[in-house]
Amino acid sequence: MKTRYFEYHMPTKIVFGRGKLALLGQICKNIGNKAILVTGKSAMRDTGILQVVIDSLKSEGVVVSLSDNIPANPDSDTVDAAVEIARQANANVVIGIGGGSVIDAAKAVAVTATTRDSVCNLIGKTLLPSDLALPIIAIPTTAGTGSEVTKGAIIKDSRRNLKSGIRGSDIFPKVALIDPLLCLSMPRTVIIETAFDALTHAIETYVARRATPLSEIISEKSLQLLSVTLPQIEKSQYTEEISETMSLVALYGGINIGNCGSCLPHRLQQATGSLCHIEISHARGLSSLYPSWLEHAVDSSTKKFDQVAKLLNMNNISEFPNLLSNLELPSSLGEIGIEKSDVSTILNNVTGSIENDPIDNVDEAILKSILLNAL
Ligand SMILES: [Zn+2]
């Protein structure tokens, strides 16, 4: 029998449960007493969640400063502005509350705040472990990215026009406070997009070369749960129970991504972020690549793709485009405005590990073939 070797690392404390946002003040006071709260432009304010957060922190004596203008695809200028607020306030803990972009921005603030530099110097790098980064409390208000438990943050470098990751163990949040009730206010498009992102995390970490016996169990459970929730989401049902299941699936995906990484769809989607004329969500970028990637990858890991199809109640993985059309997601790059002339720019901006994909010997020719076939 083949001998097994794998490692598993998940240093983030997980606090999961409906209504548990109320614990924030108590959790935070044990980590830091001067918090910078990083959040998006208006959703948290409009839903009243921001006030609950601030009240909870203040009631435990935590001083709060606020950076509340993080956009959907955070860039270095926005992060640097938040870092300045954190420095001025002498913050000793960063709280990110919002979707994956906000949590990524909070992570970037945490690793930049104690340096004298701009976040631009960290984008595209894997950081060595240090004691310098500020601790992070991540509070997701969407259910999909899993960013609350991963060691990566995707930020666009405004100077180089490069969208890339900052990675390293300092980026793992100290606490992921997951309250599924916070996800109930997601608009339908965000529900669908984040659910699809969670689906891709389950699939990619299942077929990835760095998949482990532990991650495979987690992926299979996620796919099984998604086979129940996706049809409900299609019908616009999003009850507290579904929200709780999706928060769990997102968490599972994040834990797996942190341990096994992702595959080519994530590498290529990230690279499309460098196209100035394309402003598209992570999930739509992924879905537009998926049919082409599956066609290229299926023969490299037949058994596993068969199992993915079975767990998703499909006869064969070739039925995957039906799932996309049921969820009203794009299934080609053309649908999101990407043309043949963009392919070379995408190829020039691919970063991260392409060797993790199940496809053998991935090179530029294979990447180009996936992109052209996806048009
Ligand atoms: Zn993703």
Side-chain angles (χ1 to χ4, degrees), residues 24-36:
L24 177 61
Q26 289 171 38
I27 292 169
C28 187
K29 74 173 179 189
N30 294 321
I31 299 173
N33 59 356
K34 288 180 208 154
I36 172 158

Side-chain angles (χ1 to χ4, degrees), residues 197 201 266 282 286:
D197 191 23
H201 296 165
H266 273 76
H282 177 57
L286 288 168

Side-chain angles (χ1 to χ4, degrees), residues 144-145 196-198 200-201 204 257 262 266 269 282-283 286:
T145 70
F196 184 73
D197 191 23
T200 66
H201 296 165
E204 289 174 42
I257 288 278
S262 53
H266 273 76
Q269 193 282 317
H282 177 57
L286 288 168

